[in-house]
Amino acid sequence: MGSPHMASTKKRPSGWREPAALLLDESGMIRDCCNIGEELFGYSLSDMVSQHGSKLLPQLAGAELVKDGQPNPKLDYLCHCGHLFEVQTRIGGILPSELSLITLE
């Protein structure tokens, strides 16, 4: 068994990128985004904050993200079964993406 340091130096596959992370509120509005997300999506954080998540993930338009304080069961299922969501970038590009829903207290 390797040390934690060894695990962190594991070689990543060619073309691998750090995942982008968005913080959405219960109504689906973007509250924060990591630097990698800004780079991938082509928007600055200030361009994204207070916009609905469907700006980047059109498949979320009209979707209820949270039901009874938990992730929407249908979306949660799609996230866990490997469904690909399409992220639309600022320049109109489409990035196939996986999605994870996590509720924060």
Side-chain angles (χ1 to χ4, degrees), residues 20-23 30-38 41 45 48:
L22 287 172
L23 176 63
I30 299 170
R31 295 294 171 220
D32 201 0
C33 180
C34 67
N35 292 339
I36 298 294
E38 289 180 284
F41 308 143
L45 178 58
M48 289 185 276

Side-chain angles (χ1 to χ4, degrees), residues 18-98:
E18 188 73 29
L22 287 172
L23 176 63
L24 305 178
D25 66 17
E26 289 182 359
S27 63
M29 303 302 281
I30 299 170
R31 295 294 171 220
D32 201 0
C33 180
C34 67
N35 292 339
I36 298 294
E38 289 180 284
E39 181 182 324
L40 284 173
F41 308 143
Y43 290 98
S44 68
L45 178 58
S46 62
D47 289 335
M48 289 185 276
V49 168
S50 297
Q51 298 292 316
H52 194 271
S54 61
K55 177 177 184 153
L56 300 172
L57 292 151
Q59 293 162 298
L60 295 183
E64 191 175 7
L65 299 181
V66 177
K67 286 188 174 188
D68 300 323
Q70 296 298 316
N72 176 322
K74 182 178 178 182
L75 279 176
D76 199 37
Y77 171 77
L78 290 173
C79 293
H80 283 90
C81 72
H83 177 80
L84 288 179
F85 291 82
E86 293 181 343
V87 173
Q88 186 164 350
T89 68
R90 180 180 205 131
I91 60 170
I94 302 293
L95 302 172
S97 294
E98 291 181 2

